[in-house]
Short mmCIF file of all heavy atoms in Angstrom, two decimals:
data_model
loop_
_atom_site.label_atom_id
_atom_site.label_comp_id
_atom_site.label_asym_id
_atom_site.label_seq_id
_atom_site.Cartn_x
_atom_site.Cartn_y
_atom_site.Cartn_z
N ASP A 871 -36.61 111.79 -37.00
CA ASP A 871 -36.81 111.95 -35.56
C ASP A 871 -37.82 110.89 -35.17
O ASP A 871 -39.00 110.97 -35.53
CB ASP A 871 -37.33 113.36 -35.25
CG ASP A 871 -37.47 113.60 -33.76
OD1 ASP A 871 -37.05 112.74 -32.96
OD2 ASP A 871 -38.01 114.66 -33.38
N ILE A 872 -37.35 109.84 -34.49
CA ILE A 872 -38.21 108.70 -34.14
C ILE A 872 -38.39 108.65 -32.64
O ILE A 872 -37.41 108.55 -31.89
CB ILE A 872 -37.59 107.37 -34.63
CG1 ILE A 872 -37.30 107.44 -36.13
CG2 ILE A 872 -38.51 106.20 -34.32
CD1 ILE A 872 -36.49 106.27 -36.65
N GLU A 873 -39.63 108.71 -32.20
CA GLU A 873 -39.91 108.65 -30.76
C GLU A 873 -39.42 107.33 -30.17
O GLU A 873 -39.62 106.27 -30.75
CB GLU A 873 -41.43 108.77 -30.51
CG GLU A 873 -41.93 110.18 -30.48
CD GLU A 873 -43.39 110.24 -30.08
OE1 GLU A 873 -43.79 109.53 -29.12
OE2 GLU A 873 -44.12 110.98 -30.74
N ASN A 874 -38.77 107.42 -29.03
CA ASN A 874 -38.31 106.26 -28.27
C ASN A 874 -37.32 105.37 -29.02
O ASN A 874 -37.19 104.19 -28.70
CB ASN A 874 -39.50 105.41 -27.78
CG ASN A 874 -40.44 106.22 -26.92
OD1 ASN A 874 -40.01 107.00 -26.08
ND2 ASN A 874 -41.73 106.05 -27.14
N ALA A 875 -36.64 105.90 -30.00
CA ALA A 875 -35.60 105.11 -30.69
C ALA A 875 -34.37 105.04 -29.81
O ALA A 875 -33.97 106.04 -29.20
CB ALA A 875 -35.27 105.73 -32.03
N SER A 876 -33.76 103.87 -29.73
CA SER A 876 -32.55 103.71 -28.92
C SER A 876 -31.33 104.15 -29.74
O SER A 876 -31.42 104.34 -30.96
CB SER A 876 -32.38 102.24 -28.52
OG SER A 876 -32.10 101.46 -29.67
N HIS A 877 -30.20 104.30 -29.06
CA HIS A 877 -28.96 104.63 -29.77
C HIS A 877 -28.63 103.55 -30.80
O HIS A 877 -28.17 103.86 -31.91
CB HIS A 877 -27.79 104.77 -28.78
CG HIS A 877 -27.80 106.06 -28.04
ND1 HIS A 877 -27.32 107.24 -28.58
CD2 HIS A 877 -28.25 106.39 -26.81
CE1 HIS A 877 -27.46 108.22 -27.72
NE2 HIS A 877 -28.02 107.74 -26.62
N GLU A 878 -28.88 102.29 -30.45
CA GLU A 878 -28.60 101.19 -31.37
C GLU A 878 -29.48 101.29 -32.61
O GLU A 878 -29.02 101.07 -33.73
CB GLU A 878 -28.82 99.84 -30.68
CG GLU A 878 -27.83 99.53 -29.57
CD GLU A 878 -28.15 100.26 -28.26
OE1 GLU A 878 -29.30 100.72 -28.06
OE2 GLU A 878 -27.22 100.40 -27.45
N ASP A 879 -30.77 101.63 -32.42
CA ASP A 879 -31.68 101.80 -33.57
C ASP A 879 -31.17 102.92 -34.49
O ASP A 879 -31.15 102.77 -35.71
CB ASP A 879 -33.09 102.15 -33.10
CG ASP A 879 -33.76 101.03 -32.33
OD1 ASP A 879 -33.44 99.85 -32.59
OD2 ASP A 879 -34.60 101.33 -31.45
N CYS A 880 -30.77 104.03 -33.88
CA CYS A 880 -30.27 105.18 -34.65
C CYS A 880 -29.03 104.79 -35.44
O CYS A 880 -28.94 105.09 -36.65
CB CYS A 880 -29.97 106.35 -33.73
SG CYS A 880 -31.40 106.99 -32.84
N ASN A 881 -28.10 104.12 -34.79
CA ASN A 881 -26.86 103.72 -35.47
C ASN A 881 -27.14 102.75 -36.61
O ASN A 881 -26.53 102.85 -37.68
CB ASN A 881 -25.88 103.08 -34.48
CG ASN A 881 -25.32 104.09 -33.49
OD1 ASN A 881 -25.29 105.28 -33.76
ND2 ASN A 881 -24.89 103.60 -32.34
N ARG A 882 -28.05 101.82 -36.39
CA ARG A 882 -28.37 100.83 -37.42
C ARG A 882 -28.98 101.51 -38.65
O ARG A 882 -28.60 101.24 -39.79
CB ARG A 882 -29.33 99.78 -36.85
CG ARG A 882 -29.66 98.65 -37.82
CD ARG A 882 -30.56 97.61 -37.18
NE ARG A 882 -31.70 98.17 -36.49
CZ ARG A 882 -32.81 98.64 -37.07
NH1 ARG A 882 -32.90 98.62 -38.37
NH2 ARG A 882 -33.82 99.11 -36.37
N LEU A 883 -29.92 102.43 -38.42
CA LEU A 883 -30.55 103.12 -39.54
C LEU A 883 -29.56 104.00 -40.29
O LEU A 883 -29.58 104.07 -41.52
CB LEU A 883 -31.73 103.97 -39.04
CG LEU A 883 -33.00 103.20 -38.70
CD1 LEU A 883 -33.98 104.08 -37.95
CD2 LEU A 883 -33.65 102.67 -39.97
N GLU A 884 -28.68 104.67 -39.57
CA GLU A 884 -27.70 105.54 -40.22
C GLU A 884 -26.68 104.74 -41.02
O GLU A 884 -26.17 105.22 -42.03
CB GLU A 884 -26.99 106.41 -39.19
CG GLU A 884 -27.87 107.51 -38.64
CD GLU A 884 -27.13 108.45 -37.70
OE1 GLU A 884 -25.92 108.24 -37.44
OE2 GLU A 884 -27.77 109.40 -37.23
N ALA A 885 -26.38 103.52 -40.59
CA ALA A 885 -25.40 102.69 -41.30
C ALA A 885 -25.94 102.19 -42.63
O ALA A 885 -25.16 101.89 -43.54
CB ALA A 885 -24.99 101.51 -40.42
N ASP A 886 -27.25 102.13 -42.76
CA ASP A 886 -27.88 101.64 -44.00
C ASP A 886 -28.09 102.82 -44.94
O ASP A 886 -28.91 103.70 -44.67
CB ASP A 886 -29.21 100.97 -43.64
CG ASP A 886 -29.96 100.49 -44.87
OD1 ASP A 886 -29.37 100.48 -45.97
OD2 ASP A 886 -31.14 100.13 -44.74
N GLU A 887 -27.37 102.85 -46.04
CA GLU A 887 -27.48 103.95 -46.99
C GLU A 887 -28.33 103.60 -48.20
O GLU A 887 -28.21 104.23 -49.26
CB GLU A 887 -26.09 104.44 -47.40
CG GLU A 887 -25.34 105.04 -46.22
CD GLU A 887 -24.12 105.84 -46.62
OE1 GLU A 887 -23.94 106.12 -47.82
OE2 GLU A 887 -23.34 106.18 -45.71
N LEU A 888 -29.19 102.59 -48.08
CA LEU A 888 -30.12 102.25 -49.14
C LEU A 888 -31.07 103.42 -49.37
O LEU A 888 -31.60 103.99 -48.41
CB LEU A 888 -30.91 101.00 -48.74
CG LEU A 888 -31.86 100.43 -49.79
CD1 LEU A 888 -31.08 99.94 -51.01
CD2 LEU A 888 -32.66 99.28 -49.19
N TYR A 889 -31.26 103.81 -50.60
CA TYR A 889 -32.10 104.93 -51.05
C TYR A 889 -31.43 106.28 -50.86
O TYR A 889 -31.48 107.12 -51.74
CB TYR A 889 -33.48 104.97 -50.38
CG TYR A 889 -34.24 103.69 -50.41
CD1 TYR A 889 -34.82 103.17 -49.26
CD2 TYR A 889 -34.39 102.96 -51.58
CE1 TYR A 889 -35.52 101.98 -49.28
CE2 TYR A 889 -35.08 101.75 -51.61
CZ TYR A 889 -35.65 101.27 -50.45
OH TYR A 889 -36.34 100.10 -50.47
#
Side-chain angles (χ1 to χ4, degrees):
D871 184 6
I872 305 171
E873 276 186 44
N874 302 318
S876 67
H877 282 279
E878 293 78 19
D879 294 331
C880 297
N881 291 336
R882 184 178 48 77
L883 284 168
E884 287 185 359
D886 177 11
E887 295 194 11
L888 184 64
Y889 309 131

